[in-house]
Amino acid sequence: MSQRVLTTESGAPVADNQNSASAGAGGPLLLQDQHLLEKLARFNRERIPERVVHARGSGAYGYFEVTDDVTGFTYADFLSSVGKRTEVFLRFSTVADSLGGADAVRDPRGFAVKFYTEEGNYDLVGNNTPVFFIKDPIKFPDFIHSQKRDPFTGKQEPDNVWDFWAHAPEATHQITWLMGDRGIPASYRHMNGYGSHTYQWTNAEGEAFFVKYHFKTNQGVRSLSAEQGAELAGKNPNSHQTDLLQAIERGVNPSWTLHVQIMPAAEAAEYRFNPFDLTKVWPHKDYPLQRVGRLVLDRNPDNVFAEVEQAAFSPNNFVPGIGPSPDKMLQGRLFAYADAHRYRLGVNHTQLAVNAPRATVASNYGRDGLMASNSQGRAAKNYEPNSYDGPAETGRPLSAPLALHGYTGTHEAPQHTKDDDFFQAGELYRLMSEDEKSRLVANIAGGLSQVSRDDVIEKNLAHFHAADPEYGQRVEEAVRALRED
């Protein structure tokens, strides 16, 4: 078999890829050397803006297989029959660090699944925690700024991190998760994934249900202590990426079992706390886990940049039978995620191989823009309606409508009888063993003790006291001891 010929991007054969064209031996280089200029120009443009959050990521392909009948709750086609398989792409990520950050750090992990269904791509964009730090998207840019590098010092500052949390009592539950034993997963394979938000399912009869997704790892949950994480991050910053890649290459395919919690829509208004509050979980005794299927990863990407870095997930990519809920954070993400990808990758990012539908064909009137590759066919019209058999609307909403009432304006979320920023954080603390509590307290105190302002420390301590008196007392004593050293 003859060796392939190296060519320029226009397909012309390259005569010499070792030496640039020059004006005589040892002379200055020539502007006419098209191959040299093309290589340097492309090299200058190899990087695209990294994600503001979830920049550091890994991913793999696989499939989702339905194991249990859920057709009483949704008419989504990919969930329509036991045994049905759908191709998926799953991207894992850290949240706060940059593209060059280490894997084994204390940070939530993104858990984003793209289902390539026959009715279009469905993106389920969640984390490895069932809750989050805030409940309204208007606070998200401020929250992330507080966790990122300070504009003056150029590094993450405990003053900024804890000052924001001092003004966000609803963050106490997620802080307890993050600073606990599951804050540093041993690998991406050994952590759970959650949809985190509340979503809506609609069945064939038009009945609406609110759901929460739980992907339980079949490898077992394994985590690292703060000391183990620091050591691993220093020795092998790519530890989680390497583990995922090598496991799949060996044929040790990681898997998760998907369960859902299902709440009839009519029960939401009278539930004892706001079921659309992202800082809270639904107790399993109220809405038990119901098994849906199994997610398996069995193929690594061929090119990390093309398939992981350019993978674009958006929570507004729904399919018939699945839709949004009034969850404020979800509502904000419906816009923000798609907009981020239009900025990073361009308006035609959905035509990239990793983002394009695989089990169906996108058919719409979107045209042109940077890197457009789909003309939609010869003489195809770019307006609707038309008289030329162009794609037409179905008239059938993807999900049931959400009831609305009241006046427009900026409103706090409606209060339910048991709404509280601290109760579930206290419940989580009380579920921990003594050793787990000790590590949690040490992790919190290690950061909070570095804060320079006493009033910020006191505000945060008040949150832990409100969650559980013992919790607050132990954190207070640990902070005091570290500040006296």
Side-chain angles (χ1 to χ4, degrees):
M1 183 177 179
S2 60
Q3 188 170 6
R4 290 184 297 158
V5 172
L6 176 66
T7 73
T8 63
E9 292 186 27
S10 62
V14 173
D16 191 339
N17 194 42
Q18 316 306 318
N19 303 287
S20 302
S22 61
L29 302 186
L30 301 177
L31 189 62
Q32 72 181 38
D33 188 345
Q34 184 264 351
H35 182 48
L36 170 66
L37 300 187
E38 182 177 85
K39 285 185 71 175
L40 293 180
R42 168 166 280 281
F43 179 76
N44 287 344
R45 293 162 175 81
E46 279 185 357
R47 298 295 175 262
I48 60 176
E50 69 174 41
R51 290 168 169 85
V52 177
V53 288
H54 297 277
R56 172 69 181 165
S58 302
Y61 293 95
Y63 62 88
F64 177 78
E65 181 177 6
V66 179
T67 58
D68 294 79
D69 182 10
V70 291
T71 55
F73 306 107
T74 177
Y75 65 88
D77 182 70
F78 79 102
L79 299 174
S80 62
S81 59
V82 172
K84 183 159 188 172
R85 287 191 177 187
T86 300
E87 185 181 3
V88 301
F89 181 78
L90 198 162
R91 185 178 188 269
F92 306 95
S93 57
T94 54
V95 176
D97 216 341
S98 63
L99 185 59
D103 288 338
V105 295
R106 187 172 300 280
D107 200 11
R109 298 300 190 277
F111 193 98
V113 187
K114 188 181 294 292
F115 297 84
Y116 298 102
T117 89
E118 296 170 17
E119 297 180 302
N121 290 351
Y122 172 44
D123 290 351
L124 181 56
V125 186
N127 284 329
N128 71 330
T129 61
V131 293
F132 196 61
F133 298 94
I134 54 176
K135 61 180 74 173
D136 193 304
I138 203 166
K139 299 174 72 171
F140 187 74
D142 300 295
F143 165 61
I144 294 300
H145 288 165
S146 75
Q147 310 297 302
K148 289 281 194 176
R149 295 177 184 272
D150 182 87
F152 175 66
T153 66
K155 61 187 181 70
Q156 189 184 58
E157 290 292 346
D159 275 355
N160 300 350
V161 170
W162 288 96
D163 184 40
F164 181 89
W165 286 341
H167 293 87
E170 71 267 30
T172 309
H173 192 188
Q174 173 72 325
I175 293 169
T176 306
W177 269 89
L178 179 63
M179 298 299 178
D181 277 3
R182 296 194 181 190
I184 311 177
S187 79
Y188 289 133
R189 296 182 296 126
H190 293 92
M191 68 181 196
N192 295 334
Y194 302 88
S196 301
H197 295 289
T198 302
Y199 294 90
Q200 186 201 83
W201 277 5
T202 306
N203 67 16
E205 288 71 41
E207 295 177 296
F209 303 86
F210 293 119
V211 300
K212 283 186 175 290
Y213 295 87
H214 300 249
F215 290 88
K216 299 291 189 177
T217 176
N218 294 326
Q219 290 70 238
V221 172
R222 288 179 48 203
S223 304
L224 303 174
S225 67
E227 296 75 19
Q228 290 171 325
E231 181 179 2
L232 183 58
K235 288 183 176 179
N236 181 10
N238 304 303
S239 57
H240 290 26
Q241 160 69 17
T242 301
D243 174 85
L244 181 67
L245 174 76
Q246 292 182 347
I248 295 174
E249 289 297 291
R250 295 195 311 269
V252 182
N253 298 328
S255 66
W256 289 258
T257 299
L258 172 61
H259 299 81
V260 293
Q261 290 176 282
I262 300 176
M263 174 189 291
E267 297 181 10
E270 301 303 322
Y271 192 54
R272 64 181 183 276
F273 60 82
N274 182 358
F276 311 116
D277 181 347
L278 184 55
T279 68
K280 294 180 173 65
V281 298
W282 298 354
H284 290 183
K285 68 178 183 297
D286 293 348
Y287 297 101
L289 295 181
Q290 301 187 44
R291 193 176 65 177
V292 180
R294 185 170 65 112
L295 186 153
V296 179
L297 300 181
D298 59 7
R299 179 165 67 88
N300 284 309
D302 294 328
N303 184 289
V304 172
F305 176 82
E307 299 167 87
V308 178
E309 184 64 14
Q310 292 194 124
F313 298 83
S314 177
N316 64 6
N317 287 341
F318 293 113
V319 292
I322 303 178
S325 79
D327 179 338
K328 280 190 171 184
M329 285 295 291
L330 173 61
Q331 292 283 325
R333 295 174 84 199
L334 298 181
F335 163 76
Y337 271 58
D339 187 59
H341 302 312
R342 294 185 192 106
Y343 163 68
R344 294 182 61 248
L345 303 170
V347 71
N348 288 306
H349 67 273
T350 54
Q351 296 177 26
L352 296 171
V354 69
N355 299 321
R358 298 194 172 200
T360 187
V361 176
S363 186
N364 53 57
Y365 295 93
R367 297 290 190 278
D368 307 336
L370 189 67
M371 301 300 290
S373 62
N374 187 356
S375 69
Q376 304 283 345
R378 183 177 183 181
K381 305 303 179 185
N382 64 343
Y383 59 89
E384 195 279 336
N386 61 61
S387 304
Y388 296 86
D389 296 323
E393 64 198 20
T394 67
R396 187 182 188 188
L398 299 186
S399 57
L402 297 172
L404 303 176
H405 65 276
Y407 298 92
T408 61
T410 57
H411 304 284
E412 292 185 2
Q415 291 293 301
H416 293 232
T417 56
K418 298 293 184 181
D419 273 337
D420 177 274
D421 287 330
F422 307 110
F423 179 73
Q424 290 199 352
E427 283 195 319
L428 179 58
Y429 173 79
R430 290 185 288 274
L431 284 174
M432 296 180 181
S433 68
E434 179 56 36
D435 286 345
E436 289 174 318
K437 291 177 179 177
S438 296
R439 289 189 290 269
L440 167 68
V441 168
N443 291 334
I444 292 173
L448 188 54
S449 63
Q450 299 178 52
V451 174
S452 61
R453 292 183 52 151
D454 290 342
D455 61 327
V456 172
I457 294 176
E458 291 302 320
K459 287 179 181 177
N460 278 284
L461 290 176
H463 298 167
F464 299 122
H465 278 288
D468 183 277
E470 177 194 286
Y471 186 9
Q473 186 64 32
R474 292 179 66 167
V475 173
E476 183 175 351
E477 292 172 356
V479 169
R480 185 186 305 119
L482 288 172
R483 286 169 66 82
E484 289 174 352
D485 284 350

